[in-house]
Amino acid sequence: MACRGFIIKWGKANHFRIPNTISRSSRLNPFHQQRCGFRCEAKRTETKTGNVPQQQTKAPPPEAGTPGPPPRPKVQRPTLFRPLMFTVGFAGCSFGGAAILQYESLKARVQTAKDGEELEKLMMGSQDMAYWHDWWNQLSNFQRQLLLLMSMVDDFWSSLTEGQRTATGIIAINAVVLCCWRIPAMQRSMIKYFTSNPASKTRCLPMVLSSFSHYSIIHMVANMYVLWTFSSGIVSLLGKEQFLAVYLSAGVISTMVSYVCKTATGRFYPSLGASGAVMAVLAAVCTKVPEAKLGIIFLPMVTFTAGHALKALVAIDTAGLMLGWRLFDHAAHLGGALFGVWYVAYGHKLIWRRREPLVKLWHNLRSPGGRGSTPGGSSGVRGGGGPGGPGH
């Protein structure tokens, strides 16, 4: 009985000492705690026999009713149902909002053109150059310099293509987020909302915000350079509004693919960056214009076709995903590239060309009782360009 009481007391002591051996960093990580919290070897009983080596001693077998070692808990995989529903809903809202934005933009252009013609007639009929000369002389030197600077900025902005102007806004948002990463007081919020991780409690909102988040300046410069390079081509193919919908949807979809791969492999680590959305833009342009010549900024003498570049990037990311490379989020790269190829091949016909009922509904809501055509006629609904042009 004394031996039995000693064994039970020894087992309980070891059973309750296990959680105390867990480090503070392990307590903060539930998945690490599940995998490593109960891997504690039982202490070997010391023998006082002089000639018997310690390796040959064996612990006495537990008697009936003695509690054995606790079973190893199973690692619970995070559920991805909510992120999946968020991905579908966000992509649908992005394309719906893009269709409405195109309608409002076309309506504003028509109204601006009418107002401009009326203003020009009014100025030509009532004013002359002497009026503007006197007005200019009444300004101070600072006001003149400010007007000249604004005129130079306006000329530079007008010289950019529509795609470059759209990419400039995206680059500005990424630059602001990069500056926020450098503020110590915002580190906790940035990690929570601007990094995507399927093991985190907040999983849906970071799918969007992480697409505009870069911690490294080199990472942001590389992504934004590729976006600037291909922005003119993608906007000329899809139009500004449709491009924004594709870019936002690609960021969320690529993160969703990354969630699936991380959950399947059990490698939970945070990711951030616009690489998935940029890969969708690059893949869409390379798929539509595969014979276009591309080059490397530091090696201008090396040129290759867009189709070969896309195949090489997909092959590298596939190898990185299969071999478990952690330098980039290769699953997000592949998800963005596949979405870009799919949208140019099939998605444009399935989604964008079927937006007319939504635009008509919005037009009726904007003008109650009016059932006329949208601004610019049917071209207002079907404008904005697209793969293959209006004839395909």
Side-chain angles (χ1 to χ4, degrees), residues 267-287:
R267 299 172 181 175
F268 302 106
Y269 55 90
S271 301
L272 74 169
S275 301
V278 173
M279 280 293 295
V281 173
L282 188 149
V285 176
C286 293
T287 302

Side-chain angles (χ1 to χ4, degrees), residues 160-218:
L160 299 178
T161 63
E162 189 176 16
Q164 291 174 341
R165 290 195 291 267
T166 306
T168 301
I170 298 176
I171 294 173
I173 296 175
N174 283 268
V176 171
V177 176
L178 179 66
C179 294
C180 292
W181 274 106
R182 300 301 184 268
I183 302 176
M186 298 185 63
Q187 291 295 311
R188 186 180 297 272
S189 298
M190 297 299 295
I191 294 174
K192 181 178 181 180
Y193 295 106
F194 286 85
T195 59
S196 59
N197 189 350
S200 176
K201 293 182 179 180
T202 307
R203 289 176 291 176
C204 294
L205 188 58
M207 298 176 73
V208 182
L209 299 181
S210 63
S211 299
F212 297 91
S213 176
H214 296 83
Y215 187 80
S216 171
I217 298 178
I218 298 177

